[in-house]
Amino acid sequence: MTLAVILAPLLALCVVARGMGFLPVLGAVTAAAMLLDRQEPLQEFGAACVVLFSVLPVWFVSRYQDDGARERSGPAVPFLALGLMIILQLATGTPAAMGNASGHGGAAYLPAGLCVALAGLVAVTCRQAMVWQWAGLLVCVDGVMLSGVIENQIMVVGVTALAGCVVALLGGMCVHRVMLRVTVAPAQGKAGVEHPSARPGGFELGDIDPAGPEPRSLGPESVVAPRIWTEAEAAADDEEPLPRPEKTDQKTASSTVKPEPSIEQAEASEGALRRKRLLDAEAAFSGDERDEEAGLPKAEAEMDTLAPHTESSEKTSADADPRGTVHSDDDADDDADPEDTERASPSAIKEHPPEKRDVRQDVEPDTDQAEAEEPAPEPLTPEMIARDVWLRGYLTERGRDV
Amino acid sequence: MTHDLTWGWFFACLLALALQTGVLVLAAPWFSGWVNRLTGRLTGERRFPAGGRWQDSHHQFRRQGLRLRGDGLSGLACRGALILAVFAACMTPVFTLVPAGFPAPGFFLLCAALVGASLLLGLPLVVQGGTATLAGYTALLADALLLPALVPVLVMAGGQDFSVFLAHLRLLSPAGEGAPFVLMGVALFLVTAWKGRLAGEDLQGQLSGADRALWMLAADCVQLVWITLAGDVAWAGSLALPGDGGAEPWLAQCLAGGAFWVAKLSVAALLLAGTHLMVLTYQRRARVRLAAVFLLGLLAWQVAYAGQSGPQTGNKTASMQDEQESAWRDDGATP
Amino acid sequence: MTFPVFLAALAFAWPLLGAALVMAAPTPRSRELAIWMVGAGCVLAVAVFLFPATSAAAEGWDDDPVQRAGRVMLAFGLLLTVMENGTLQDRLLRGLPHISTALTGLACVAPDPIIGLGILEAALAYGVFVFSRPAGQARAGWALVRTGSVGIFLVLSGLLLPSGSAPAGLMMACGLVMLAGLTPFGQSWREENDTYLFLPFAGAALLLSMRMRTHGGEAFETALVAAGLASVWLTACAGRSDGGQRLFRTFPSALALIAVGAGADVAALLFLCGWCLAGGNRFGRSWAARALACFPPGAPFVGCLLLLSMLSDWSWSITVLTVAGILCAVVRSVPVEGFTQDLWPEDAAGRVACSVLVLTGFLVPLAMMLGAF
């Protein structure tokens, strides 16, 4: 009975309550609990497996964006796990139940591994988000492994290692297929504007209307982070909307400005859009530029070299892109104006749909998103614009991966 | 352990108790301000420096209060809460225990004093009416239910003096045999975890003037006393026990205990700031807190009970002897 | 190496060989080849059943006649799957039923049920990998992995607890019920995946549950019977709606779990036969529905009789509940359309299945009387 054995169920509860972030700590504590028990090859193997299965998935998930799935299960779930642990302890830890069990006579005894596994099972069954369920399964792996190592059952440890591999691999595959790659949060500094290669990819997440048609509802908070705001949203359902701190200034700005341009665009006809774009040509374009780059990283590299040509042919060609002007113009005003981002993206999308379709077909044959089916149709409602922005970011991200 | 309490030890203990009380009461606003600042750091906001809370209390104390409806009662409640909190602080060991013959309170009395202080702290909200009334009633209810939720923890400590209980725990290493009591400490810690403060927003209602200062000081004291209690239970080994050797080792142990106390407080401040990151509504917060305290206490009790035959840690040596004997018997049987 | 041992080893390796050949063969010829290979596999399984490798039993490999007969059922289930399906384009999908049957057969025979669980997990992983390759299947594949892994972890946790204790039995029973895919608790298998992976998988879970009874103790048996009864009654209550039909597909495995809980292994074997040959997504055919609903000429009917005779020793109230549940389910949720027609099915697969069901129904009680089980 060591402190690590006590801490492991608590950390498993933290995983149930908060999400995947606690998984590496749980893995480390579980490994410590194994190694403190005894130091033999079995224990070392188990500890190595546990650390591997706890650290690697978290690192892997951190490269993807949170899918923003709304969690309908409330804060009562960890208490369910805690109650199950108590029942388990009651059923196995009492001297009467331990009478026929050998090995732990008298000493303080907690079936820690099974408690951890129970917590993981609760997380798998009660949480809806895929990543959370994955974390729950990995917690199960940790728990069963700990229990098997402590009980010194080689078979169980081996089978659990195999199951852990299966869960980690298949879960990682599923994550790779259903989630977006994370992009570096844009415009944290001005360095990104000067160095195109180092520029953050991806569109501004805050530009997309969270209530839009895309089922995955990318909100500004859906960057990989501890799942704090699900609680806030649950609270917002209950009573007054709670404030959401911890957004960068720009995101706040973009989300506050957001409704206005979308209304504008709903009214604006195509011609008006084009005119507005020309009018805005000398205004701040860095937001636009950033957006363009995020969208088309490869094309951007070519366009950088072709910038003068683009500039000369900009007014006539249908493929006119304000990027050229930006590169030839001064980069002096590089405050990212979300209106520009919002305004320029539909035009770019309108001009590129066939190309987009090609990209989708040869780059990502197994997209399983329902909304990835058809590129932009003719009449552009704000929802469609938002979806297109999303789709573009998604496709190029996947393309970059491939 | 001393069997006869000399007058010298008696006075030394009195002095130590007074010192502990003073340290607790004076450090409480600092600790609270520090937690607040850490929370701000974690959430990316700028908050006042740690001493700001103390200055705020000081400043409020000198201000002229506005007279509002029900202010007399709430002023009384604030004073009562502060008295109870200081009373609890005086019973809480910070860096030293008291020797065996010294009159020491039980754990139940300590908890009851703290819960009473929390109840009195919730009273001004209810008295004054207005928007905070509902929150005040919730806080009152949650604090009233806290004592039943603490039952498993109270059972673990048993009816003995708290100091004696800790002196038993002192012999157990928290990384080994004393691990269930770490769980108990976590349960005690969770009592304060989702207390009425939501990331910088106080539930102090519309108190003003000296009442407000007293309220703040009492609330900070209650929080710090709970935290100190949790730290004591989780790792009793850091506390000094008078009468082991002479006065000099005791003093050295006291100094070390004080340093360990600061370390425990910094860990607790980190954890508290972490819990403040969780945004919950106050009703839900109360439920989460009560359930967590009760269930964790139950788990700790069960884990401890499985090994040490429950709260009677007094006959621990006997049970250990039994274990050894049974082990010998096993050894004798196997070959 | 004696002949029976060689035979047994060949019987396990045969479906893998078949999978390799079927995957390697050109698409137009693959179906014919698969049928030949699987037919030989069935013959091998029957041969293994008839000539048990007694020397292997001494080394810990399982040699229970019921288990061997169960593996024969798995082989025939594979035969039926291959005969029912047309020529498949996807090579991996073509080989999947062979591989899953081979792995589940290996899982059943493994010296330790824990190893069997590991092999089942591997089979599940391979199946899910094959299923979720096409676009749009990622989440469905994840759901399969999740449920299967939860079941396996539950069983493992139960096996780690002291044998015979109540929590161990409960956890193992819950896990096995999830692995067997009992309708309210189990997997959300979809139609097209059913027979490829789910039939052998659930069959292996049933066979494993017989071997875990020694570890589970009384709580294990009670929990299995309770879960089976709940499933039967839920089927009865759901009626003939769409959901009810879906519940009906695992009717034999629910009865088999009751039989395992009651200790009637032979009855469980007969229900397993019904499950492998008529369960899953075949419940829409009239002959399969008749077999599932325990109508007279067929293995499940005989199994029902055996189960009731064993159950009446166990507990009268549960017997009455089971009988009432079966009757209700048969009356309320058997698909009615074309139920009485088509007594002798037209297609070859149906004919094979019918004859195997009837033969098993006759032969198993005969073998039981002769003392083979």
Side-chain angles (χ1 to χ4, degrees), chain C residues 62 111-113 158-159 161-165 168-169 172 176 207-221 224 260 263 265:
Chain C
D62 189 72
D112 195 339
L159 285 172
L161 281 169
S163 124
S165 63
M172 279 162 57
L176 281 172
L207 285 176
L208 276 180
S209 67
M210 292 179 204
R211 299 175 55 187
M212 288 177 187
R213 214 167 29 206
T214 51
H215 188 272
E218 196 168 337
F220 179 67
E221 299 170 3
L224 279 188
V260 171
D265 278 355

Side-chain angles (χ1 to χ4, degrees), chain C residues 136-158:
Chain C
Q137 302 289 312
R139 279 186 191 273
W142 170 248
L144 294 186
V145 174
R146 194 189 65 203
T147 330
S149 304
V150 165
I152 284 173
F153 284 132
L154 267 174
V155 180
L156 278 180
S157 314

Side-chain angles (χ1 to χ4, degrees), chain A residues 114 133 141 159 162 166 177 368, chain C residues 118 132 134 136 138 142 146 153 161:
Chain A
L114 295 183
Q133 291 176 347
V141 172
V159 167
L162 175 72
V166 166
R177 288 176 57 176
D368 48 354
Chain C
S132 61
W142 170 248
R146 194 189 65 203
F153 284 132
L161 281 169

Side-chain angles (χ1 to χ4, degrees), chain C residues 64-83:
Chain C
D64 190 33
V66 176
Q67 298 278 330
R68 272 182 281 133
R71 293 199 293 277
V72 176
M73 299 307 154
L74 288 183
F76 275 108
L78 174 63
L79 174 66
L80 205 62
T81 305
V82 171
M83 286 177 76

Side-chain angles (χ1 to χ4, degrees), chain A residues 21 25 40 54 74 129 171 221 233 237 260 289 301 310 333 381-382 388:
Chain A
V25 191
E40 281 166 25
S54 315
E221 71 281 2
E233 284 162 4
D237 288 345
E260 189 208 350
E289 168 199 354
T310 321
D333 46 356
T381 62
D388 287 335

